[in-house]
Amino acid sequence: MEDIARRAGISKAGIYLYFKSKEALLTALIKAKVAPLAQQVQAMASAGAADPLATMRRIASMAAHQLQDPKVLAVPRLVIAVSGRFPRIAEDYRREVAQIAREALVKLIGAAIEQGLIREVDPVAVARAFIGPLFFEGMWTHVLRGESAEGGPEHLIDSHFDILLNGLEHRA
């Protein structure tokens, strides 16, 4: 709260003129900074159901580019850090961000199955397999200070989709 007050140019007590609690501030931060990205995923998925694999690739590309900005990952990092003390913040993040994006992806994956573009699989498991590497790349780069994906976001997406769609196992 002290850091926020300092950056806003107000006293720590001044924050509470705008937000009734730390939880209210964090909820507002989620809604302002990260929920719009989930809503963008939802809009892209709805508009792109006719071509679900291309839409998934566009969503992955958008996410990979967004996650290059450490400020985008700051909110999920904060949610993870405070979720033990503020479980409602984790619930808000799940409801306002993760659930919206996951449900949009599950619908796209379902459309890909219905159109015969991919085999019958659990769409929720695929959504997790889709999101995981993208989120890990952001964490690896901005939290763990590892090197960025070689070749940039587009190479990351190409590799990710190759593995996601073709798997690892040699097939006869």
Side-chain angles (χ1 to χ4, degrees), residues 86-170:
F86 300 101
R88 201 181 101 218
I89 295 302
E91 292 170 19
D92 289 346
Y93 187 86
R94 185 185 65 241
R95 185 183 62 254
E96 299 286 336
V97 180
Q99 193 167 333
I100 289 170
R102 188 180 85 166
E103 286 176 4
L105 288 168
V106 166
K107 286 180 184 176
L108 271 179
I109 294 158
I113 293 167
E114 286 177 19
Q115 293 174 29
L117 300 172
I118 61 174
R119 62 187 172 87
E120 290 278 336
V121 290
D122 177 359
V124 173
V126 176
R128 288 178 183 204
F130 177 90
I131 295 166
L134 299 172
F135 190 71
F136 179 79
E137 178 64 19
M139 295 292 284
W140 176 260
T141 305
H142 301 300
V143 176
L144 303 174
R145 306 284 186 240
E147 72 285 349
S148 297
E150 196 171 312
E154 293 310 317
H155 177 72
L156 172 69
I157 298 310
D158 289 343
S159 298
H160 180 37
F161 268 75
D162 178 40
I163 295 166
L164 186 66
L165 296 176
N166 299 315
L168 297 172
E169 193 174 353
H170 283 292

Side-chain angles (χ1 to χ4, degrees), residues 16-108:
Y16 294 102
L17 295 173
Y18 301 97
F19 302 98
K20 66 180 182 177
S21 67
K22 286 181 185 179
E23 281 188 86
L25 174 67
L26 293 171
T27 297
L29 184 63
I30 290 167
K31 288 182 179 180
K33 297 296 180 184
V34 188
L37 297 175
Q39 293 162 0
Q40 185 178 1
V41 168
Q42 187 178 47
M44 291 171 75
S46 293
D51 191 354
L53 296 182
T55 302
M56 288 172 63
R57 186 177 285 273
R58 282 192 297 279
I59 290 169
S61 182
M62 182 269 299
H65 282 90
Q66 290 284 336
L67 287 170
Q68 286 188 304
D69 181 357
K71 292 177 186 174
V72 172
L73 200 61
V75 175
R77 286 176 64 186
L78 183 60
V79 170
I80 291 166
V82 302
S83 63
R85 290 179 297 154
F86 300 101
R88 201 181 101 218
I89 295 302
E91 292 170 19
D92 289 346
Y93 187 86
R94 185 185 65 241
R95 185 183 62 254
E96 299 286 336
V97 180
Q99 193 167 333
I100 289 170
R102 188 180 85 166
E103 286 176 4
L105 288 168
V106 166
K107 286 180 184 176
L108 271 179

